[in-house]
Amino acid sequence: MADVKPGLEGVLAAETTISLVDGSAGRLLYRGYEIGDLAAHGTFDSVTALLLDGEWPAAPEPLAPAGLDESVGAALRSLPADTAPLDALRTGVSAWGAARGLDWPPTAAQARELIALAPAIVGGFARLRSGGDPVDPAGSEGLGVAGRLLHAISGEQPEASRERALDAYFVCCAEHGLNASTFTARVVTSTHSDIASAVCGAVGALKGRLHGGAPSGVRDQLTQIGDVEHAERWIREALARGERLMGFGHRIYRTTDPRAEALRGVAEGLAADAEWLKLAIDVEDVALRLLAEHKPDRVLKTNVEYYASVVLDGVGLPSDLYTPAFAVARTAGWCAHVLEQAEHGRLIRPDAAYVGPSVRPLP
Ligand code: ACO
């Protein structure tokens, strides 16, 4: 029997200097820096520079704002209003790449332009679908990428506390090793294709339920529980039905996801809805106790989605923009991997074990 690994678990497909995801220690480093320190003291725009260039920027400044040019604007306007916002992001990135006639090799300048464009696409589509027009990015001077997403959605200057909270969320989601979407971006790049094609592929991979995550699932769960007094009964019944608790467990982390810890602090600092936050904290305690009882042999701890849901709700994002917001942040990680793959990579081309019929005559 050939040694087939259908999920590629444990297969080392690249060397990287971008991030370390240490599941047993519950540690996440970007270029050697702890995620907790970056979330507390960095900005997403500085972290983007760190991921793309390899070093902390000497003079951190926001990425130059980008607006929707004619081709991207026309592509978004052509979409039905009920288009999934993640499909709109993929379409906008595709139109951007096509209009520029991008080719091999990808460059850091293209990466910066694309990362700055992503919030304009998501925010622009959010306005178009409700009958509005995309905002002029000139009004977002001085804001970072996260603040520009809020501005592109509402057309107004975001409150500083909300901007800071979304920025910290973006820092936490910017990069996470060779996850499915990042691997997709590297596979596309390995064929010497362009950066827009790689990011379109990555957005497509992120769209799947198993990867894009569902902070909105955490929100629904907390809404259904409603009051911590109901938590134990609600959770016991859900587990007895064989359901999974949203916001708990992780493929790699065997302890608390360090991003969950950082985002809990962000949620506490935001204090948008103190009762909702208290409910989340109290329900987390009950859930951890019951999960330990339910699966004593498996470490099931809080993951990034749990407090991401509280933060995204607190900054006022509608729940169908949670995953697109995540994609805006992750564009930084995707682009860093595209550049690394382009510089050091090799065509990614695994083998399959053939298990079909042996040679036979055509009927
Ligand atoms: N609630 C209840 N039971 C769980 C949970 C959970 N959240 N997570 C895992 N388990 C149980 C499984 O039912 C399984 O039990 P079994 O052995 O009796 O079948 C056991 O723990 C192992 O589960 P696996 O699916 O093998 O664990 P894996 O590490 O592959 O799963 C995953 C990781 C998909 C995140 C899982 O923990 C899950 O479904 N969590 C809930 C959804 C969620 O929060 N997703 C966001 C993840 S973070 C991110 O994507 C960025």
Side-chain angles (χ1 to χ4, degrees):
M1 271 293 270
D3 182 19
V4 179
K5 298 222 158 133
L8 300 184
E9 288 105 320
V11 174
L12 299 176
E15 286 189 331
T16 185
T17 61
I18 301 171
S19 69
L20 170 74
V21 184
D22 183 342
S24 47
R27 170 170 265 185
L28 171 61
L29 307 180
Y30 294 170
R31 305 260 189 211
Y33 299 110
E34 297 269 10
I35 192 65
D37 290 341
L38 292 167
H41 307 296
T43 64
F44 175 74
D45 295 55
S46 301
V47 163
T48 295
L50 173 71
L51 293 173
L52 295 181
D53 305 334
E55 291 301 334
W56 192 251
E61 52 181 53
L63 286 178
L68 304 181
D69 64 17
E70 216 181 303
S71 53
V72 179
L76 295 184
R77 283 176 201 280
S78 74
L79 297 174
D82 61 356
T83 300
L86 211 53
D87 288 346
L89 175 62
R90 197 190 57 229
T91 302
V93 172
S94 183
W96 171 81
R100 272 160 190 68
L102 294 182
D103 203 346
W104 174 268
T107 66
Q110 291 167 355
R112 285 185 155 79
E113 200 185 324
L114 184 49
I115 296 162
L117 179 65
I121 296 176
V122 172
F125 179 70
R127 292 177 72 80
L128 285 168
R129 72 177 175 178
S130 50
D133 280 313
V135 297
D136 182 349
S140 65
E141 282 295 343
L143 294 174
V145 170
R148 265 188 255 136
L149 175 62
L150 295 173
H151 178 261
I153 294 169
S154 70
E156 290 164 9
Q157 288 299 315
E159 271 174 38
S161 61
R162 291 184 173 202
E163 183 198 357
R164 178 62 204 141
L166 189 64
D167 193 87
Y169 167 76
F170 273 27
V171 168
C172 289
C173 298
E175 158 62 11
H176 208 239
L178 221 57
N179 55 80
S181 58
T182 302
F183 185 57
T184 304
R186 287 190 80 126
V187 171
V188 175
T189 304
S190 82
T191 69
H192 287 197
S193 184
D194 65 280
I195 193 168
S197 299
V199 170
C200 283
V203 174
L206 187 70
K207 190 180 171 194
R209 268 179 305 148
L210 292 187
H211 183 23
S216 49
V218 175
R219 193 174 187 281
D220 296 345
Q221 186 173 276
L222 288 173
T223 305
Q224 285 172 33
I225 293 173
D227 187 307
V228 69
E229 299 213 333
H230 308 145
E232 177 143 359
R233 186 168 53 81
W234 191 95
I235 292 171
R236 280 193 190 283
E237 286 175 3
L239 293 176
R241 287 193 299 270
E243 290 173 13
R244 293 180 177 212
L245 295 187
M246 292 296 119
F248 298 91
H250 197 274
R251 173 61 68 83
I252 306 271
Y253 292 117
R254 288 291 162 260
T255 177
T256 303
D257 181 333
R259 301 168 298 174
E261 283 177 3
L263 287 177
R264 175 175 168 161
V266 173
E268 286 167 346
L270 184 61
D273 181 341
E275 273 184 36
W276 187 252
L277 175 61
K278 181 160 178 2
L279 176 68
I281 291 172
D282 292 347
V283 167
E284 181 190 18
D285 285 344
V286 179
L288 289 173
R289 177 167 55 80
L290 297 182
L291 282 169
E293 206 179 277
H294 175 67
K295 285 266 162 239
D297 303 334
R298 174 93 184 177
V299 182
L300 293 172
K301 298 284 191 187
T302 316
N303 68 42
V304 63
E305 308 284 18
Y306 193 78
Y307 285 104
S309 153
V310 181
V311 171
L312 294 176
D313 190 62
V315 302
L317 282 192
S319 60
D320 74 341
L321 294 188
Y322 287 2
T323 307
F326 179 90
V328 172
R330 185 54 62 83
T331 303
W334 291 332
C335 288
H337 279 270
V338 163
L339 296 174
E340 188 176 70
Q341 176 71 32
E343 200 173 345
H344 304 291
R346 178 171 163 73
L347 175 67
I348 298 173
R349 203 297 187 193
D351 268 341
Y354 178 69
V355 293
S358 54
V359 64
R360 52 183 172 163
L362 194 65

